[in-house]
Amino acid sequence: MPISGKRMMDLVKKLGFERLSTYESETKAAEMLCDEIRAMGLEPTVETFLAPHYEIKDVKLEITEPFYKEITCTGYGFSGNDAKDGVEAEFVYIEGFDPIDLYDVKGKIVFFTGGMGVSAYESLIKAGAVGFICTSGTFRDKLAESDLEERTLRDKHTEHGKLPGVTIRMKDALSLIPKHPTRAKITLFQEEGEADSRNVIAEIKGTKYPDEIVVYTAHYDTVPFSKGYFDNSTGTAMVMELLRQYKDNPPMRTVRFIFCGSEERGLLGSKAYVAKHEDELEKIRLCINLDMAGPILGREMANVTGEESLCHALTFYYKEIGYPMTVRQDLYSSDSIPFADKGIPGINFFRSGAHGSYQIHTRHDIIDILSAESLAKTTNFIKSFSDKVLNAAFFPIERKMPQNMVEKLDKYLLKKKDNK
Ligand SMILES: [Zn+2]
């Protein structure tokens, strides 16, 4: 049975709804993936794990002096409930997070542009700020054609405490700041806790070396307001298609297919998988992660999180078959990272969209920029490269992580910061 772009696009279409970590919508998507696997005659395994869950119940931003204005905002998830009954304080605009920017923020509500970084959050808490207002979007955004991003803090942010915050539109910020607001009031009430998210897993046992395992990962969750066609129904559909292919023709080595939940919340599904399967990680030789493919206009890419020799092997192969692509030794911010952190080499195949031809993480992640043909092209390449690895006489990739990648991983996972 040949690889079918149409079959993959059908699944991409089916998954065309917001699929939020820990929400019913993500569970619904997981069930659809299970149905798809069962329809092939295989039985999926569902592994649930706890992920942070929040629900904003009340959020409001008011400028109270020298004029009154309510500004549309979204609450920052997991930023606590210190402003549950409203926090009113002096308003201060800071242009950065250097000590000079922060010398006079104590007891104030701080406004800055962009999103909230981990060290910025820590420095605001240490400087004694009582709330924050940040921005999202661009000056060009039209109200009717854009959503105001709802952001969340992660574990690393809140190690030093919590500070309530909201996000406003860049457009509103541009008209607000010249009017010199001096006092503001943030009201933010949210439920914070944990709820289930899930990984959906299927496996085809190897015919000759069942204890040598290659895992294929793809996340199926989305961020708020995105239907996640490109990011990442495409990778999900490709992993499903590869499962179908290997079900019909089992390779010599075991292939395991992991559809990860909660990637958009910080790779939580793949982290949970690696933590739960600690005792069998030694058998996993390679992680092939698929996150975003299928744009009509784009470029075939592979980020190799592993030895440089693996880049050379891929380069030899694409040249051999005349398949233009770019191979780099680097991380890819997706589900291969927790595996790489355990020393398992990762290949992240993706098709990067041509500049201006796509958008992710917004309502503009639409299906029209994708094609069945593009999806099939990338999947065919991955399948033919995989076949070589899975049916090699001797496993051709050493299970080893070079020092330069270890350093990048540590930095990405903020390990260095922890040790400080
Ligand atoms: Zn993604």
Side-chain angles (χ1 to χ4, degrees):
M1 178 180 48
I3 282 169
S4 164
K6 182 184 177 301
R7 196 160 44 219
M8 287 186 272
M9 277 302 260
D10 286 346
L11 182 55
V12 167
K13 260 178 228 159
K14 257 196 233 171
L15 289 170
F17 53 92
E18 200 187 61
R19 312 180 292 272
L20 290 185
S21 165
T22 68
Y23 281 80
E24 230 169 86
S25 52
E26 192 193 49
T27 313
K28 182 180 155 193
E31 280 163 6
M32 288 170 71
L33 296 175
C34 287
D35 288 346
E36 201 80 13
I37 294 166
R38 284 194 195 102
M40 285 180 216
L42 295 169
E43 193 47 39
T45 305
V46 177
E47 292 184 354
T48 58
F49 55 93
L50 283 174
H53 176 83
Y54 77 100
E55 260 180 85
I56 306 278
K57 297 292 182 186
D58 185 23
V59 61
K60 197 172 179 183
L61 172 64
E62 297 157 282
I63 300 302
T64 54
E65 282 178 28
F67 54 90
Y68 181 87
K69 188 173 171 52
E70 193 180 328
I71 298 172
T72 304
C73 68
T74 52
Y76 236 96
F78 305 111
S79 70
N81 280 313
D82 285 358
K84 186 179 171 193
D85 303 314
V87 166
E88 189 177 355
E90 254 183 76
F91 177 105
V92 59
Y93 165 36
I94 61 166
E95 298 174 355
F97 292 90
D98 291 337
I100 183 66
D101 297 299
L102 301 173
Y103 79 97
D104 194 25
V105 305
K106 193 169 180 172
K108 298 181 182 174
I109 290 174
V110 173
F111 167 85
F112 60 92
T113 57
M116 179 57 97
V118 172
S119 57
Y121 197 65
E122 181 185 341
S123 53
L124 281 187
I125 287 172
K126 289 189 171 158
V130 296
F132 71 89
I133 303 163
C134 62
T135 63
S136 172
T138 80
F139 71 96
R140 289 183 306 178
D141 292 345
K142 294 201 172 68
L143 262 184
E145 293 169 13
S146 62
D147 302 290
L148 175 53
E149 186 181 6
E150 185 174 298
R151 298 187 177 120
T152 54
L153 299 174
R154 296 186 176 167
D155 283 4
K156 297 277 177 195
H157 281 95
T158 50
E159 277 169 7
H160 303 276
K162 291 204 174 193
L163 181 66
V166 296
T167 305
I168 65 172
R169 288 175 180 270
M170 176 53 88
K171 214 172 181 168
D172 288 336
L174 279 168
S175 63
L176 175 66
I177 295 305
K179 294 185 187 118
H180 298 287
T182 55
R183 278 184 84 75
K185 184 178 176 187
I186 293 175
T187 306
L188 177 59
F189 171 46
Q190 60 184 309
E191 274 172 13
E192 295 183 5
E194 285 184 317
D196 279 346
S197 178
R198 21 188 86 61
N199 293 328
V200 174
I201 302 153
E203 186 182 270
I204 308 291
K205 273 260 178 283
T207 54
K208 190 164 179 191
Y209 303 111
D211 282 343
E212 294 180 7
I213 304 170
V214 172
V215 297
Y216 291 80
T217 51
H219 76 88
Y220 66 90
D221 64 315
T222 71
V223 300
F225 305 116
S226 170
K227 290 181 179 169
Y229 289 107
F230 183 25
D231 181 16
N232 180 34
S233 292
T234 54
T236 303
M238 287 160 80
V239 168
M240 192 63 81
E241 185 68 15
L242 289 166
L243 168 62
R244 199 183 299 274
Q245 296 294 326
Y246 286 121
K247 189 216 142 223
D248 285 353
N249 281 303
M252 281 159 61
R253 293 178 174 84
T254 295
V255 276
R256 191 175 290 168
F257 303 85
I258 311 170
F259 301 92
C260 300
S262 298
E263 188 264 2
E264 301 286 9
R265 283 283 181 77
L267 320 179
L268 300 182
S270 44
K271 281 178 182 167
Y273 184 88
V274 164
K276 189 183 164 81
H277 295 266
E278 186 82 56
D279 52 342
E280 57 164 343
L281 292 183
E282 216 37 61
K283 294 182 188 170
I284 301 179
R285 301 300 191 90
L286 176 68
C287 169
I288 293 181
N289 180 60
L290 307 182
D291 194 351
M292 296 198 280
I296 295 168
L297 302 176
R299 171 77 176 165
E300 300 301 315
M301 307 281 297
N303 275 23
V304 171
T305 311
E307 296 253 89
E308 222 182 320
S309 59
L310 183 48
C311 298
H312 298 321
L314 256 174
T315 303
F316 180 93
Y317 185 59
Y318 75 65
K319 285 180 180 170
E320 184 192 353
I321 64 169
Y323 184 85
M325 72 184 296
T326 301
V327 173
R328 302 182 294 211
Q329 186 195 36
D330 206 351
L331 307 191
Y332 189 68
S333 181
S334 185
D335 289 312
S336 59
I337 290 211
F339 290 91
D341 190 42
K342 296 289 180 184
I344 300 164
I347 308 178
N348 301 275
F349 289 109
F350 58 107
R351 180 171 164 82
S352 70
H355 186 71
S357 78
Y358 74 98
Q359 223 185 66
I360 60 163
H361 290 186
T362 69
R363 64 163 81 180
H364 303 293
D365 183 342
I366 57 171
I367 200 164
D368 311 40
I369 66 121
L370 305 169
S371 77
E373 193 184 336
S374 282
L375 270 182
K377 173 181 163 167
T378 308
T379 312
N380 270 305
F381 176 80
I382 296 166
K383 170 73 168 47
S384 65
F385 181 78
S386 293
D387 285 345
K388 291 201 167 273
V389 174
L390 295 169
N391 298 314
F394 187 82
F395 200 85
I397 300 161
E398 211 178 337
R399 194 189 178 291
K400 192 173 161 188
M401 197 53 58
Q403 194 51 35
N404 61 336
M405 289 295 104
V406 170
E407 276 164 23
K408 279 199 167 189
L409 285 162
D410 287 355
K411 203 169 163 198
Y412 181 92
L413 296 164
L414 302 176
K415 277 190 188 162
K416 290 212 167 116
K417 200 165 172 294
D418 280 354
N419 298 338
K420 201 165 63 174

